[in-house]
Structures are given as C-alpha cells and as structure tokens.
Amino acid sequence: MTDADQAREDAVEAALDKLDLDTKTRLLAGRDMWSLPAVPEIGLASVVMSDGPIGVRGARWSADDPSVALPSPTALAATWDPALARRAGRLLAQEARRKGVHVLLAPTVNLHRSPLGGRHFECYSEDPYLTGAIGTGYVRGVQDGGVGTTVKHFVGNDAETDRFTVDNVIAPRPLREMYLAPFEAIVKDARPWGIMTAYNWVNGATMTEHRYLVNDVLRAEWGFDGCNVSDWMAARSTAGALLGGLDVAMPGPRTVYGAALAEAVRAGEVPPEAVDGAVRNVLRLAARVGALDGAPPVVTDPPSGIDGGALAREIAARGFVLVRNEAVSGERAALPLDTAPGRTVALIGAAARDARVLGGGSATVFPERVVSPLDGLAAALPAGSLTFCVGADPSEELVPADKGFELRAICRDASGAVLGEAGLPSGQVQWIGEDLPAGATYETMASIEVTGTFVPRESGEHAFGTRGLGAFALAVGGRTLWEGVQPMGDEADPFEAFFGAPSERARVPLTAGEPVEVSLTFQVPDVSALPLKAIMFSLLHLEPRRDADELIAEAVAAARAADTAVVVVATTERVESEGFDRKDLRLPGRQDELVRAVAAVNPNTVVVVNAGSPVELPWRDDVAAVLLTWFPGQEGGAALADVLLGEAEPGGRLPTTWPAVLADAPVTEVTPTEGRLEYREGLLVGHRAYEALGVAPAYPFGHGLGYTTWAYASLEVTGSVARVRLTNTGSRPGREVVQVYLAPLADTAERPASRLAGFASVAAAPGESVEAEVVLPERAFEIWDEAAGSWRRIGGEYEVRASHAHGDTRLTAVLRV
C-alpha cells in the first residue's frame, strides 16, 4: 500500500466514524437518478455517475451539452488493441471531468454468447480473453484520468429477453472459464473502482444478492476493493442485497436501502458491521475520485488533452473489418478505390445519408456533429465524381423527429407560465428523476411542449406521430392536426406497453427546403406515486414514402453508370437496441434485394455493413468487397472515406464469429423456459463451437484482410512466450494482429479443440520484417476443476498455432508443459 493509499484509507475511516446509522444507510441509496447523497459535515461531495460506454452523456438527456461519440464497443474490440482502448478511456475521463462526472457506468464485458443478443453492440466479443484484454485497457484509461468505472453487468447478462427475472443456469466450469473470466482479468489487472451487478439471476440467486459470486469470488478471491452498484432498479430486498454484497442501490431516493435499511439494522436483520463495510466502499470510491475532503485523489494531474474527434476517427478506421476484397476482371482489388481522374462512384443506401453511429438504450449520447458516409465521401472525392440515391430504406417506421428538425422542450405550469426549457437532440423526451430543465419540477409542470422548426429535405406527404401514454395535441404549420389520449395498450413488448407504441397521427404535404413550425404538447400526469418519477414521450416523423421498386431501379441505373458502386446497408434501433433480443439476423427492409440488383449491373460493388453485430449477407460472394463498420461513432463517415480511398488501412479483425445464416450459429436460445435459461452449450461458444461442430462460418473469428499481405517466417516458443517473425510482403505499410491459439494434442479434460491464448499487433513498411511477442498466460493451461472447486493446471503437449485468424494457421510449434 502506498502512502497515498494509506492516506485515503485513513480519511475513509475518519469519515465513517462520524456517521450515524441513518446517514450511513442514506449514503447507500441514490440521491436521485445519477448521484449519491452529499454529506457536507464530513466533507463528502455528491458522487455523480453517467452512462457510457462510447461517450459521457452526463446527468441530463439534452442536446445543450453535447458528448463525443466514439465507435461502439464491438468496434473497439475489433481493433484488438488494448493500448488504443486505454486511449479511448482517457478521452472519456476527459469528457467526464468536463461534465462533472465522477464515475462512468462502463465497460460492458458480457459475452456474445449468441448472435441474437440484442445488446451485443455494447459488448466486446464472444471470447473471454479478448474481452478481458480490451476491458482492461479501457478501465485503465478511464481511471488514468481520475474517473471511476463500473465493470458490468456482473454476471451472465448475455441476452436481453426477460433480463429482470431470468435465472441463467450456468455450470461452474463455463461460469468460471467463460463468463466470469473477463471480470476476473479486469479486476486483477486494472483494479477497477466499481462493479455493476446485473438484473438477472444466476443459478438460483439474483445477482444483487449473490453472496457467493460477490462476497466469496469477487471480493475474497479476486481482491476487489471497490464499490458494488446495482443496475438501475435491480435491487429487490433490503437484507438480502446488503448481505449479498451490494453497496449502492440505484437510483434514488426510493430504494431498498435508506430508511428501510436502518430499520432492518435496528430489527436485527442486518448486522451494523455489514452496513459499515458497504459505506466504507462508497467512501473509498469518493476518496479515489476526489470527492472526500482530506483524502488525496488517485489522480491529481490528469493526462494531456485529447482531440476527441481525431481519436473517434482513428478508432473507427482501426475497427473497420475488411472481410472480402476481390480483384475485378483480373485487375486490382476493389479496395482501396481507384481514384484516377474521371473515375466515378455511386453511393447507394438510405444508411449512407442517415448514418446510425451508435446503439440504443443506455449507450445513447448526443454528439455535436455526425459525419455520415455521404458527408465523408462528398468531402473527400473530387466535385462531380459522386452521386447518391436512396435505393432502399431499412426503416419504414415512424422515428423520433431528427433530420431537419431544431427542437426545444418548454415546460409550463397550469397558468401557461414558462417554468424552464431545454434543447432536444431529437423529438424524444426522456427525463428520469431530477433530469429536468432548470426551474421545472414534477409538482409544478402542467404541460411540456416540444416545439421548433422543420426544414424538409424531400417534397411530399410527411407523416407525424406520437409515442407515449397520455394526452397530446399535435400541430404543424400552426394548424392543430390531432388531439387525443393514448391509453396503455396490450402490447406484448413491455416497453411498448409502458411507453406506448409508435402511432401515426397525421400526414401533411410539405415542400423541400421550406421551413414549417411544429409543436407537440403533452399534458403532464401526476407521477407522485411512481417509485421513480419520469416523463417519456416522443414527436415522431416519417419522410414521404416512394415506391420501393422505383427506388431500387434508380439505384441500378446509378450503379450501371458508375465505375464503382458503394452500397451502405444497416440495421435499425428496432433491430438492435437495449431491452430486447433479435428474432433473426436478416437486414431489415429490401436491402438484400438492393445489393443483389446493384451487383448484377456493376461487378465493382463494395458493400458497407453498418451493424453492431452479425447479420446475414446472402450476396457476399457476388460483390467485390465487404467492409464491416459496426456503429462507427460520430466520425464514421470521415473514417469510411479514409479507408475507401486508401488514406487509412481497415485495421480490424473480427471479435466475434460471423455466421453465414442463423441456423449455423451454435447458440440461438436466448428465451427462458419457465423463467430459466440453460447454458447447455457449456464451453462451446463462438469459434470454439464452430470448430467442435465442424461448421464453417461466413467469416471466422479474428478474420480481417487489411490492405497488405504478410508472410509468417518463424515461430519460436520458449517457456510462456511465443515469438513470431513475419514480413510485410505487400506494397503498402500495414498492421497485422498475430493471434496465438493453443490446441491440446492429447486432451484429457474435455477442453475445446483450440482456444485463443494471446495476441499482439505489429506494424511494418513494405518489405520490412518484424517480430511479435505473445505471452501465453497461465490460465490458458488451466481448467476449473468442479470437484475440487479450484483451478487445475493440465500438463502435456500443446500445439501452439500462430494464426491470421481462427482456423487460418500460418505456423505451428509443440510446447510441453
């Protein structure tokens, strides 16, 4: 323990000694949606938390304080670069400090158990080792900046269906070797200051009350000394949660802690020392982030400032995965594009104009700017060389008003007097707890008007609608088009049942470029009885719909006339988001048909896939190139131009296996049966399962082409270190991710045929030879012995495989341990 550590511990103990029971228990309950109570008499400031993981939204759902939006966590994992993840973390700490945030609610390190997981864009990988390595870099980076993290969701929150109630039944060995493994690596290697326990149950106990996994494993075995925060509204009982190791029940002020916990202590249901332990963890967190007087913060001199836009652009390009890049008619490969004078590009797809740069749910942030693929290519290509057409739109549904809208929310009392107002990033109002405009309160608000200007980009009949429960009045151009009440329906989806299904209310003919005033007034209901006060509703919009066949025909004509066709396809927030899982892996709308039609007339067709996790690509062998861009963050379009034009190499490698069709995926069960979800597959998840089953995916784990080629020359294994010599044999500088897999030659412990043991990135100029050094961790040779309840090293011979991707082995050596 350093002197600074001791000083913090001394300050924690001194503060703890000054607190009475009621203050202690109040400190363990959230003050509001995003913060903990301050206790001025002991010098304790309020500790503020904020959602991540790709940006720092802050405590308000507002456009008035924009956030840098980095690429999705899946994209970050696709870089296979923990050092780059650390730089991302440092940027986010910088953003957090700017916004007065002490703790970032990230990273998410659950696994891609099944491609149907709806929130996989927010997780890193199917592989526990890669997940742990990227998560370790991220946590180190955030905490380098003096901001805490909460590694989440501990543990088993690998799908969204019934996540509040599902009991995930996971045998001890896969639980240890797969699902706990990334948490263990991060706790031991990065020393995070926080953990978030999940909604779900594991093996019969809810995670907010799981004494074994929290008290025995996380704390006693791994040495975690940070603060355990519940997922929002996950805490279910007072004594059970505290005795199960939960320090903070969020959000507040109505939680299972506070007055209820003080009463449980006085009734003898909870020992006082258990409360002291939880309070000590909260005070230690406060001390580390600089919120406790007398305690030196861990970081007194934050790292140098980082250009957020530049880093977002770099991570995006480094995470793009080029999975196919064929020569056309025996000529050069499709990418990078031929930029000779006079060459033309047809950019096709609604997603090229309206980029989806981040996932939905708690990962949402509001960047100051978004560079779409159309923006990026238009800025980079010579004038007159680029055309654009919609081709196909992935969404036919009303969505929160966005493109062309400038909106504010105005809160009024019963007399019509303005109480407060705030800018809105879109037509969606989502105020939870104290996240209200200054001057407004739930008690005084009678109405909220979403109002502003809309400048249509297309002429025709525009649809307007609402989402939310309650009374509304919708006006466009000063004319009231609809007034009515949306009651709670019988929708099967619990979110739609509570928040109301999207509903079209009116259609209005509008002219492109001509501004029109819009207004949606919502009558605020009495929310005093709700355990968590909230207001959620949306002004919805849908542009004029054109004939789908006509749009595809227009795209075909544009592709036929161009040297290269670039088609951007995408998922939507109704396909990938928090709160639900996917039903299939198909691209929405007629996007597959669009790609086939374009490829039929232009052999030099490049498809850009804007999705956070795998989708089926039935046309993949019919196009020249396929580039996976994930959700690429605010600079995604600029990074895309860099990569397509050869200014940057697509540096990504797949962090998850990409199935050809859903039926090939080894695990597709994400829906519980009678409340239980059995992880019957054991250790066989992702690439381990494909190898065991003998199924060839569309693209294997670790695959990615880049813009150069590599010759693997030698592999030397000495002790726990593998050294790989390789040469850049192409004409461009590039990076290679050397992946080392271990395969037991005479397996006696029912292990997967091979597993990722380590990796390293190298960079080289054309013709240059370099050496990659990969450390093989002890855990790669161990299994969890269920009978002994401990780790057991398995001796014998192992084949060490130096690989470009799983199954693409370039060199082998035999190691005996």
Side-chain angles (χ1 to χ4, degrees):
M1 182 178 287
T2 66
D3 290 344
D5 290 334
Q6 188 61 60
R8 279 188 291 275
E9 289 301 307
D10 291 344
V12 165
E13 293 303 322
L16 180 62
D17 287 344
K18 297 175 184 177
L19 299 176
D20 61 26
L21 176 62
D22 293 305
T23 306
K24 290 175 182 177
T25 59
R26 180 168 59 87
L27 194 54
L28 304 182
R31 181 184 67 133
D32 53 29
M33 186 66 180
W34 301 112
S35 67
L36 300 181
V39 185
E41 52 267 37
I42 62 168
L44 177 66
S46 176
V47 173
V48 178
M49 308 179 195
S50 172
D51 270 330
I54 57 101
V56 183
R57 189 170 64 242
R60 297 195 179 278
W61 187 276
S62 169
D64 293 343
D65 186 11
S67 309
V68 172
L70 296 177
S72 65
T74 318
L76 185 62
T79 69
W80 287 60
D81 190 340
L84 186 58
R86 188 167 191 168
R87 290 171 57 204
R90 287 184 170 187
L91 170 65
L92 295 174
Q94 173 181 297
E95 282 280 281
R97 292 194 308 272
R98 181 178 67 81
K99 293 194 172 202
V101 168
H102 301 100
V103 178
L104 191 62
L105 302 172
T108 303
V109 299
N110 302 113
L111 298 185
H112 296 179
R113 174 178 172 262
S114 166
L116 292 176
R119 202 176 178 180
H120 280 352
F121 60 86
E122 195 180 317
C123 309
Y124 291 132
S125 172
E126 69 185 28
D127 185 81
Y129 181 81
L130 177 59
T131 296
I134 298 297
T136 293
Y138 181 100
V139 169
R140 284 175 172 168
V142 175
Q143 295 183 176
D144 284 346
V147 174
T149 55
T150 60
V151 186
K152 64 183 188 181
H153 305 89
F154 187 76
V155 62
N157 187 181
D158 308 298
E160 292 294 278
T161 303
D162 295 345
R163 61 177 174 164
F164 297 96
T165 58
V166 61
D167 183 8
N168 293 321
V169 182
I170 313 173
R173 186 173 170 189
L175 180 61
R176 287 283 189 156
E177 296 184 25
M178 298 292 292
Y179 302 100
L180 287 171
F183 291 95
E184 180 182 11
I186 295 167
V187 167
K188 291 183 175 180
D189 296 338
R191 311 305 298 178
W193 301 343
I195 287 278
M196 181 187 291
T197 37
Y199 292 119
N200 54 272
W201 299 51
V202 171
N203 298 335
T206 179
M207 281 311 307
T208 51
E209 303 173 24
H210 212 302
R211 300 188 191 192
Y212 170 65
L213 290 179
V214 174
N215 295 337
D216 297 349
V217 176
L218 175 65
R219 291 201 184 275
E221 185 179 323
W222 299 348
F224 175 69
D225 67 353
C227 183
N228 175 13
V229 180
S230 75
D231 205 340
W232 265 226
M233 302 188 75
R236 294 166 171 83
S237 77
T238 298
L242 195 80
L243 297 176
L246 182 69
D247 299 321
V248 174
M250 289 295 288
R254 297 186 186 180
T255 80
V256 298
Y257 286 171
L261 179 54
E263 183 178 326
V265 173
R266 292 185 177 109
E269 298 170 5
V270 174
E273 56 270 22
V275 173
D276 285 351
V279 174
R280 186 175 288 114
N281 294 331
V282 172
L283 293 174
R284 184 179 297 118
L285 173 63
R288 285 168 166 166
V289 300
L292 180 64
D293 288 351
V298 172
V299 176
T300 56
D301 189 13
S304 301
I306 299 172
D307 183 329
L311 184 57
R313 187 170 180 168
E314 178 185 351
I315 293 172
R318 289 280 306 280
F320 290 172
V321 182
L322 183 62
V323 294
R324 179 178 173 84
N325 193 23
E326 297 297 307
V328 180
S329 302
E331 301 176 1
R332 62 190 297 280
L335 292 179
L337 297 177
D338 186 346
T339 55
R343 301 282 293 184
T344 58
V345 175
L347 181 62
I348 298 165
R353 180 182 63 181
D354 301 328
R356 186 176 183 200
V357 301
L358 48 81
S362 59
T364 301
V365 296
F366 308 112
E368 188 169 18
R369 77 170 200 155
V370 170
V371 182
S372 69
L374 178 57
D375 296 332
L377 285 171
L381 289 171
S385 64
L386 179 70
T387 62
F388 169 75
C389 56
V390 171
D393 195 327
S395 176
E396 297 290 329
E397 297 182 331
L398 290 152
V399 296
D402 185 9
K403 303 298 181 183
F405 288 84
E406 290 190 9
L407 301 170
R408 294 191 69 76
I410 301 175
C411 306
R412 296 184 173 89
D413 64 16
S415 71
V418 174
L419 298 170
E421 58 182 275
L424 291 176
S426 70
Q428 183 178 8
V429 172
Q430 182 168 305
W431 297 335
I432 305 175
E434 301 306 310
D435 181 14
L436 297 174
T441 67
Y442 291 103
E443 292 74 23
T444 56
M445 277 191 302
S447 68
I448 301 168
E449 182 186 14
V450 174
T451 182
T453 303
F454 173 47
V455 181
R457 58 187 181 185
E458 293 186 18
S459 298
E461 195 172 55
H462 289 251
F464 291 85
T466 64
R467 185 177 191 183
L469 305 179
F472 295 91
L474 172 67
V476 177
R479 185 166 62 93
T480 299
L481 301 178
W482 178 78
E483 287 186 273
V485 176
Q486 175 65 50
M488 183 176 289
D490 57 358
E491 291 82 2
D493 183 278
F495 285 87
E496 288 195 351
F498 186 76
F499 300 124
S503 301
E504 182 178 317
R505 303 304 185 188
R507 296 196 176 197
V508 185
L510 299 174
T511 303
E514 293 187 5
V516 62
E517 297 300 311
V518 296
S519 169
L520 177 66
T521 301
F522 172 69
Q523 301 301 316
V524 178
D526 180 3
V527 297
S528 60
L530 295 179
L532 179 63
K533 296 177 182 177
I535 293 176
M536 298 185 184
F537 69 93
S538 298
L539 168 65
L540 306 179
H541 172 255
L542 183 65
E543 289 188 325
R545 299 289 89 185
R546 291 180 55 196
D547 180 78
D549 292 332
E550 184 181 298
L551 287 175
I552 291 178
E554 188 178 88
V556 167
R560 185 182 283 115
D563 294 301
T564 301
V566 177
V567 185
V568 182
V569 295
T571 59
T572 69
E573 196 161 335
R574 298 284 282 179
V575 173
E576 288 184 272
S577 190
E578 181 178 349
F580 58 87
D581 292 312
R582 296 196 280 173
K583 303 301 182 188
D584 56 56
L585 302 183
R586 293 190 295 271
L587 287 167
R590 296 179 64 177
Q591 294 180 101
D592 287 332
E593 185 179 344
L594 170 67
V595 173
R596 287 193 180 99
V598 168
V601 300
N602 190 327
N604 200 24
T605 293
V606 175
V607 182
V608 176
V609 181
N610 180 193
S613 48
V615 291
E616 292 176 359
L617 310 173
W619 33 259
R620 64 187 183 280
D621 294 332
D622 302 326
V623 300
V626 178
L627 182 68
L628 311 178
T629 62
W630 316 104
F631 296 144
Q634 68 178 54
E635 304 295 326
L640 180 64
D642 292 341
V643 166
L644 293 183
L645 302 181
E647 296 299 317
E649 182 184 38
R653 303 293 184 265
L654 282 177
T656 197
T657 306
W658 204 279
V661 293
L662 176 59
D664 287 349
V667 180
T668 57
E669 187 179 8
V670 294
T671 301
T673 300
E674 296 182 352
R676 290 162 56 92
L677 184 61
E678 305 267 358
Y679 282 40
R680 295 186 180 90
E681 68 283 351
L683 300 174
L684 298 182
V685 172
H687 56 284
R688 307 172 185 219
Y690 282 90
E691 184 174 16
L693 297 172
V695 174
Y699 305 111
F701 176 76
H703 175 63
L705 298 175
Y707 282 160
T708 190
T709 53
W710 297 87
Y712 284 57
S714 65
L715 166 63
E716 177 186 337
V717 183
T718 305
S720 61
V721 178
R723 293 180 177 86
V724 182
R725 192 82 181 163
L726 63 165
T727 301
N728 180 348
T729 55
S731 60
R732 294 173 54 101
R735 293 177 66 90
E736 172 72 330
V737 178
V738 177
Q739 303 161 38
V740 174
Y741 296 86
L742 278 185
L745 292 180
D747 183 40
T748 59
E750 297 182 356
R751 288 169 288 178
S754 67
R755 59 168 290 177
L756 179 68
F759 61 90
S761 295
V762 294
E768 182 182 5
S769 296
V770 290
E771 185 176 88
E773 184 175 290
V774 180
V775 176
L776 307 178
E778 283 294 313
R779 189 55 54 82
F781 302 96
E782 295 176 337
I783 68 164
W784 181 256
D785 187 322
E786 295 185 347
S790 62
W791 293 98
R792 177 163 61 92
R793 184 177 174 86
I794 306 297
E797 290 188 328
Y798 291 81
E799 184 174 72
V800 180
R801 300 172 178 173
S803 306
H804 173 75
H806 185 255
D808 186 357
T809 301
R810 303 298 173 90
L811 297 169
T812 63
V814 174
L815 172 66
R816 181 166 186 82
V817 297

